[in-house]
Amino acid sequence: MSFTGVMRPGHAAIRVLDMDESVTYYTERMGLMKTDEDDQGRVYLKAWDELDCFSIVLREADSPGIDYTGYKTFSRADMDELVGKLEDYGIDIEWIAEGELNNCGERARFQTPSGHSFELYSEKKQIGDGLGRTNPNPWPEGLKGMQVYRFDHVLLYGPNIIETTKIFTDVLGFDLTERVLTPEGEMNVTFVSCSNKAHDLAFVEYPEPNKLHHVSFMLMTWEEVLRAADLMSMHDISIDIGPTRHGITRGRTIYFFDPSGNRNEVFCGDYTWYPDREPITWTAEELGRAIFYHDRRLNENFLTVVT
């Protein structure tokens, strides 16, 4: 696949209530690696198979949630072109200086009608995965916890998701891969991809703006998801639901909470998306099977608890 424009999710900036407790959780339990800390007290983390120097930024705050999500473009020229398209669409851009996040280039931040902040950037220091790029081993020794290997996506709750989704599909070049329709035929859940993954971002219609449902990390196999569930019980991590399977995206998954109450997911398995496919549609009467394919029942806690 020839990548231009937006390549992938690059980072999520997460608010936590206690930094020390959160760093222990994300490094020792999730298996992320601490790579940096700045003079604002923010902590930078990466998954083991990511080359860029961070994908998660933790900021201590009075309330949990998400500050913004960043997406990496293929080049600076692509970034500038997309910023121009956003401005032509009527979206205001806030320029964030190079180095405001350690080892990250200039970022173009914008807000969507759902109340969320997003940003585009094209440059971030690469520190590698410890394996090298010549004759590498398949994985590094000394991995911890669940051994997540990639920050994968976020699912966000907020109002006006149809308008928000159009920004990503009509302006930024994402594809709509899956959607859920209300009984009246309106979209109230959307999944979009900037790659050939089933999704890189998802939205759910919700009355309050700027809410986080979950931050998701990729594992290799179903056995690794089950091992993650074992670790959650070993360390008294609060499990929301699972292990189970989604109908939407086909992902095999478990949901759980970090010490601040932010929901996390580890999952494996989806399908390969190509832009010549039509979106998959789920109807309201099959919503239970769409979300939890095995139980085929909705879980009120899963649908309503957000940060």
Side-chain angles (χ1 to χ4, degrees):
M1 185 174 184
S2 178
F3 281 102
T4 58
V6 180
M7 284 197 302
R8 63 174 179 267
H11 53 250
I14 303 169
R15 298 191 303 273
V16 297
L17 303 180
D18 183 292
M19 184 61 78
D20 290 340
E21 184 179 34
S22 298
V23 170
T24 297
Y25 165 85
Y26 279 102
T27 58
E28 300 294 323
R29 309 299 174 237
M30 296 287 289
L32 297 173
M33 300 172 180
K34 181 179 175 180
T35 59
D36 207 351
E37 185 172 352
D38 64 23
D39 56 9
Q40 298 182 43
R42 297 176 297 187
V43 170
Y44 299 72
L45 307 164
K46 69 179 284 292
W48 73 259
D49 202 28
E50 295 171 334
L51 303 185
D52 287 352
C53 59
F54 66 88
S55 60
I56 298 295
V57 181
L58 302 180
R59 179 175 72 86
E60 190 168 88
D62 294 333
S63 62
I66 191 165
D67 284 334
Y68 50 84
T69 310
Y71 291 83
K72 191 173 188 180
T73 64
F74 180 74
S75 68
R76 178 62 195 237
D78 286 339
M79 175 182 168
D80 291 340
E81 180 180 357
L82 291 172
V83 167
K85 290 180 177 180
L86 287 168
E87 291 177 325
D88 290 344
Y89 198 76
I91 295 172
D92 293 331
I93 301 296
E94 177 188 4
W95 288 99
I96 310 297
E98 177 182 359
E100 195 279 334
L101 284 176
N102 284 2
N103 298 304
C104 187
E106 190 175 34
R107 294 130 61 206
R109 184 177 296 171
F110 61 96
Q111 192 172 81
T112 59
S114 62
H116 297 96
S117 291
F118 296 92
E119 52 189 38
L120 302 177
Y121 69 97
S122 62
E123 297 176 359
K124 186 184 288 184
K125 180 181 178 181
Q126 291 198 341
I127 61 174
D129 57 9
L131 301 174
R133 308 307 292 171
T134 303
N135 305 324
N137 292 320
W139 47 267
E141 295 182 299
L143 297 176
K144 296 181 178 181
M146 302 176 205
Q147 302 179 8
V148 298
Y149 78 91
R150 181 178 76 212
F151 159 55
D152 194 80
H153 65 269
V154 295
L155 189 154
L156 304 173
Y157 273 39
N160 308 307
I161 66 144
I162 292 177
E163 294 87 346
T164 296
T165 300
K166 285 181 179 179
I167 293 171
F168 284 88
T169 57
D170 295 358
V171 182
L172 296 178
F174 286 58
D175 291 321
L176 178 67
T177 59
E178 302 206 31
R179 59 188 176 183
V180 177
L181 302 183
T182 68
E184 295 74 35
E186 292 288 331
M187 290 194 303
N188 65 345
V189 181
T190 59
F191 291 75
V192 295
S193 177
C194 61
S195 62
N196 63 352
K197 292 157 50 184
H199 64 316
D200 289 298
L201 174 63
F203 295 102
V204 173
E205 186 73 26
Y206 192 70
E208 295 181 62
N210 194 31
K211 293 298 181 180
L212 170 68
H213 186 270
H214 70 262
V215 179
S216 184
F217 300 88
M218 192 75 168
L219 292 174
M220 299 278 191
T221 67
W222 178 233
E223 287 74 19
E224 290 183 359
V225 174
L226 297 178
R227 179 180 175 276
D230 291 342
L231 287 166
M232 292 173 206
S233 282
M234 288 180 192
H235 296 286
D236 295 321
I237 294 171
S238 178
I239 296 176
D240 186 19
I241 195 163
T244 186
R245 177 192 278 280
H246 292 308
I248 296 174
T249 77
R250 304 179 193 164
R252 288 162 287 175
T253 178
I254 183 169
Y255 290 91
F256 49 102
F257 294 98
D258 77 4
S260 302
N262 294 305
R263 185 186 283 102
N264 292 153
E265 177 193 29
V266 291
F267 83 106
C268 69
D270 54 6
Y271 52 80
T272 301
W273 170 261
Y274 292 103
D276 60 348
R277 297 186 175 196
E278 291 187 8
I280 294 171
T281 297
W282 295 87
T283 56
E285 62 270 18
E286 291 291 342
L287 185 57
R289 192 162 65 100
I291 298 178
F292 300 123
Y293 191 76
H294 295 156
D295 290 346
R296 291 166 286 167
R297 292 179 297 179
L298 299 179
N299 179 301
E300 188 65 22
N301 187 64
F302 181 82
L303 294 178
T304 59
V305 174
V306 293
T307 53

